């Protein structure tokens, strides 16, 4: 074990290991950019999952200030993740084609961590083939919106018991009672309304990431199939505008 006195920047960050993680398959100049961007995505996904666990803990503890701080951090991370598409889009179709054949069956659709984020936010309709033990465990726990409802219940809003105790493995279905409750939350304009808005920021960030992902794929490979045999942009377009928290969006029409 390295003592504090011997700890250097490189040792603390394990830079030798980190900088040795880029194993290129071609001599293409642009492959390194592709690898580093996607490795950075995965690091940010890891941080989002780390923050989401704290967000749920703070929500269920009734901690308004802590919930707001954590939700806003997640939203800022999502802005950073979306911004990385600006860098990736400096790669032309020809530059990507210079190493694309070597990617084989690998595909961004195989990102386990992004599926974990989706599950934490409430998605439950994953194909059986992609459900690993970690994803299955996440689906067995309350998603973020269920933690929000517990936070609102602790703040003395009347959340029906059957909604509070619904099966965590069931996908969320919009509920008029919940929307009426949320309308009441917003009418009071207190901390709970601010927390709800912070979750909207997260939801919007995820949707923005999906949109930029679609446009990046269309810009680089057009309508061709994606790597790993995926249907590319056509699939991604089908994921757009699927909010994680539909009731929080629906009540906009009630204002």
């Amino acid at each position: 074990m390295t003592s504090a006195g011997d700890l250097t920047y490189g040792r603390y960050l394990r830079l030798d290991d980190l900088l040795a993680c880029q194993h290129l398959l071609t001599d293409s100049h642009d492959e390194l950019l592709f690898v580093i961007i996607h490795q950075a995505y995965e690091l940010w996904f890891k941080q989002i999952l780390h923050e989401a666990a704290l967000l749920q803990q703070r929500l269920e503890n009734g901690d308004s200030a802590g919930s707001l701080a954590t939700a806003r951090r997640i939203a800022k991370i999502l802005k950073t993740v979306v911004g990385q598409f600006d860098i990736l889009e400096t790669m032309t179709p020809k530059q990507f084609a210079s190493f694309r054949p070597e990617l084989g069956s690998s595909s961004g659709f195989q990102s386990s961590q992004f599926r974990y984020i989706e599950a934490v936010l409430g998605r439950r309709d994953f194909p059986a083939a992609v459900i690993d033990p970690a994803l299955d465990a996440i689906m067995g726990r309350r998603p973020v919106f269920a933690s929000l409802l517990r936070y609102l219940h602790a703040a003395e809003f009347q959340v029906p018991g059957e909604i509070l105790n619904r099966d965590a493995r069931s996908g969320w279905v919009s509920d008029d009672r919940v929307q009426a409750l949320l309308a009441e939350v917003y009418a009071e304009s207190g901390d709970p309304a601010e927390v709800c808005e912070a979750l909207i920021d997260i939801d919007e960030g995820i949707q923005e990431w999906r949109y930029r992902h679609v446009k990046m794929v269309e810009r680089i490979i057009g309508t061709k199939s994606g790597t790993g045999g995926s249907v590319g942009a056509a699939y991604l377009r089908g994921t757009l505008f699927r909010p994680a928290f539909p009731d929080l969006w629906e009540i906009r029409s009630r204002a």
Side-chain angles (χ1 to χ4, degrees):
M1 180 179 293
T2 303
S3 68
D6 294 330
L7 188 63
T8 65
Y9 176 81
R11 286 175 179 168
Y12 177 63
L13 296 179
R14 298 185 64 178
L15 290 183
D16 287 344
D17 294 333
L18 179 64
L19 298 178
C21 286
Q22 295 75 45
H23 300 287
L24 305 186
L25 301 176
T26 72
D27 293 328
S28 170
H29 173 84
D30 297 284
E31 187 183 356
L32 181 62
L33 173 66
F34 186 83
V35 169
I36 286 177
I37 288 286
H38 285 82
Q39 287 181 340
Y41 279 147
E42 293 296 330
L43 289 172
W44 282 125
F45 291 164
K46 181 175 182 178
Q47 187 65 33
I48 289 171
L49 288 165
H50 184 62
E51 299 293 344
L54 179 60
L55 172 60
Q56 289 194 260
Q57 177 184 324
R58 286 177 163 176
L59 284 170
E60 298 197 15
N61 287 341
D63 181 356
S64 296
S67 297
L68 279 170
T70 305
R72 287 169 176 165
R73 177 179 289 181
I74 294 171
K76 291 288 188 182
I77 292 171
L78 286 167
K79 289 291 185 185
T80 296
V81 169
V82 168
Q84 290 180 181
F85 283 115
D86 292 339
I87 305 170
L88 199 54
E89 286 179 350
T90 65
M91 186 184 302
T92 67
K94 183 178 180 180
Q95 289 168 337
F96 182 52
S98 69
F99 62 88
R100 187 188 184 206
E102 301 303 316
L103 299 181
S105 61
S106 65
S107 168
F109 295 111
Q110 296 164 351
S111 173
S112 296
Q113 288 199 115
F114 190 72
R115 285 195 291 270
Y116 299 162
I117 291 170
E118 290 183 306
V120 166
L121 294 178
R123 183 180 172 187
R124 294 294 182 266
D125 62 339
F126 297 97
V130 306
I131 300 177
D132 60 26
L135 181 58
D136 184 66
I138 292 170
M139 291 194 296
R141 300 195 293 266
R142 283 188 293 275
V144 169
F145 192 70
S147 295
L148 172 68
L149 292 177
R150 288 179 174 267
Y151 163 81
L152 295 176
H153 179 70
E156 300 186 352
F157 290 95
Q158 299 304 308
V159 184
E162 65 270 24
I163 293 177
L164 277 178
N165 299 309
R166 68 192 306 273
D167 183 3
R169 292 188 177 276
S170 299
W172 179 257
V173 177
S174 292
D175 190 297
D176 288 339
R177 294 171 297 173
V178 171
Q179 290 175 24
L181 167 68
L182 292 172
E184 181 184 343
V185 170
Y186 275 88
E188 293 192 8
S189 301
D191 286 344
E194 289 294 319
V195 170
C196 289
E197 282 297 282
L199 294 194
I200 280 284
D201 289 339
I202 293 173
D203 200 344
E204 187 173 307
I206 289 289
Q207 292 184 63
E208 185 179 4
W209 189 89
R210 286 185 174 128
Y211 173 76
R212 286 299 304 275
H213 194 183
V214 168
K215 301 313 292 183
M216 181 272 295
V217 170
E218 289 180 339
R219 181 169 177 157
I220 295 178
I221 67 171
T223 59
K224 292 184 289 189
S225 296
T227 52
S230 68
V231 294
Y235 168 81
L236 292 169
R237 281 194 297 271
T239 69
L240 294 176
F241 311 118
R242 292 183 185 175
F245 313 128
D247 291 307
L248 282 173
W249 292 96
E250 185 62 31
I251 60 165
R252 314 284 144 169
S253 301
R254 297 187 176 211

